[in-house]
Amino acid sequence: MAGATLSGSPTAGLDVAMGLTLGALELDVSLRVGANEVVALLGPNGAGKTTLLRALAGLEPLGRGRVVLDGEVLEDAGRVRMPPERRPIGVVFQEYLLFPHLTALDNVAFGLRSRGVPRAAARERAAEWLARLGLSDRGTARPHQLSGGQAQRVALARALAVEPRLLLLDEPLAALDASTRVEIRRELAATLASFAGVRLLVTHEPLEAMALADRLIVLEEGRIVQSGPPAELGARPRSRYVADLVGVNLFRGRGVGNQVELPGGECLVVAEEAGGDVFAMVHPRAVSLHRQVPEGTPRNVWPGEVGGLDLEGDRVRVRVRGRIPIVSEVTAAAVGDLDLAVGRPVWVSVKAAEVNVYPA
């Protein structure tokens, strides 16, 4: 069934308000992605990220709601449903899904041929896209003869060759090794910057999302829990998953004056008065560790036990177990000076001014 154009001037971008049930997943999502945005969709396994992309591509029917792209209705549950092959959408799947019996050139030309472009013209445009992505010498190669990075670029060329208005990328770098991923990430960022349509990618890697996207949308259990620029999510995470994603400590409790009462009965002293249901965020670098009860004026002090040490770059993240579990970030030298090891007792201190409190 053909799509329908909304009355009035079409609005550039993607507008989605939809729901569907797939097994145990109840997906209920409303979002807008502007034509000039690159948006990354993040969330834990089973959150519904890939299902959302498949629904946009027309591979999963909606139970309710609709999908509108640049003012054109692609799907309106029960009334309008444009077939996947007619949607102006390019998709790069996590596994790339290249046809093993076709050359790289014919893989790229396939989407054009399926849209009725004559064979010679399709192959000519496919060759142009391979050249743009640095693969002009690999046109005759079949998928098993390509490296992971080359296969990813062929899949991207196939998606872009049809000149889509919406580009969907599902974990586009997941199949690459670490060394290749850095190089391909740079190439992908440049390609996305030159693409004029809507760009939406799924990833579970925060570094990848922050390197490629203008805005992050976090999906948990089929619902959007937070959306905003990377810096905003880092400053005010609204779920434990988001806090872990950006590497900060997050507590939820009730503000009473200059304290945040936590569910377990403990309290955090804060610099400014707070009231009602609140989040309290503490950056790991603001968490000091001591072998003895610290002197001075920190308002929050409690005993704990080292639960784990993780090296990240030139810093070490120390997971502390105790009545208020928390993560501290220290230098490698500090680990030696404090003689930190799993199971060792430590004292934790956090200044009241280092606890960032905001409404939940």
Side-chain angles (χ1 to χ4, degrees), residues 23-283:
L25 175 67
E26 292 279 349
L27 187 66
D28 188 355
V29 169
S30 295
L31 62 88
R32 169 163 176 79
V33 183
N36 296 321
E37 281 188 299
V38 180
V39 171
L41 189 65
L42 301 100
N45 291 336
K49 305 182 298 296
T50 295
T51 299
L52 173 57
L53 258 60
R54 289 178 58 83
L56 294 175
L59 302 176
E60 296 288 350
L62 302 186
R64 60 190 179 278
R66 65 179 183 171
V67 176
V68 182
L69 179 61
D70 292 343
E72 183 179 23
V73 179
L74 304 185
E75 186 163 359
D76 192 347
R79 292 186 288 180
V80 174
R81 188 162 196 269
M82 184 183 290
E85 66 274 11
R86 292 194 55 199
R87 299 190 182 199
I89 295 174
V91 185
V92 178
F93 296 97
Q94 181 176 344
E95 302 84 2
Y96 308 144
L97 300 184
L98 300 177
F99 298 108
H101 63 290
L102 296 181
T103 65
L105 181 69
D106 287 329
N107 262 285
V108 177
F110 179 84
L112 295 163
R113 296 284 290 128
S114 67
R115 285 164 168 76
V117 178
R119 184 173 186 271
R123 286 172 63 86
E124 181 179 353
R125 283 167 60 181
E128 292 173 357
W129 272 104
L130 287 177
R132 288 177 65 174
L133 294 177
L135 294 172
S136 56
D137 61 338
R138 303 299 287 158
T140 60
R142 285 182 165 75
H144 73 276
Q145 298 172 310
L146 301 171
S147 69
Q150 290 170 339
Q152 195 270 355
R153 282 180 279 176
V154 171
L156 184 58
R158 182 176 61 184
L160 293 171
V162 298
E163 298 181 351
R165 303 206 308 271
L166 169 61
L167 181 63
L168 304 175
L169 303 101
D170 188 5
E171 300 277 9
L173 307 180
L176 304 177
D177 59 59
S179 59
T180 305
R181 188 178 297 125
V182 174
E183 176 187 354
I184 299 300
R185 184 191 298 139
R186 286 196 297 265
E187 295 179 2
L188 181 58
T191 301
L192 292 177
S194 65
F195 177 68
V198 178
R199 294 145 291 182
L200 182 63
L201 68 100
V202 162
T203 180
H204 66 278
E205 292 285 349
L207 179 61
E208 183 177 306
M210 293 176 188
L212 296 174
D214 307 307
R215 180 161 60 99
L216 310 182
I217 294 177
V218 181
L219 197 65
E220 295 184 47
E221 298 182 345
R223 306 293 193 276
I224 292 175
V225 297
Q226 195 164 1
S227 173
E232 180 181 309
L233 268 66
R236 292 197 163 196
R238 302 197 64 80
S239 76
R240 178 58 58 85
Y241 172 81
V242 178
D244 290 344
L245 194 72
V246 298
V248 299
N249 296 288
L250 185 68
F251 307 93
R252 185 165 183 164
R254 180 169 182 80
V256 180
N258 284 94
Q259 290 188 335
V260 175
E261 298 176 348
L262 304 180
E266 300 295 336
C267 292
L268 286 173
V269 178
V270 299
E272 298 182 4
E273 290 193 1
D277 199 13
V278 297
F279 286 114
M281 190 270 284
V282 180
H283 196 284

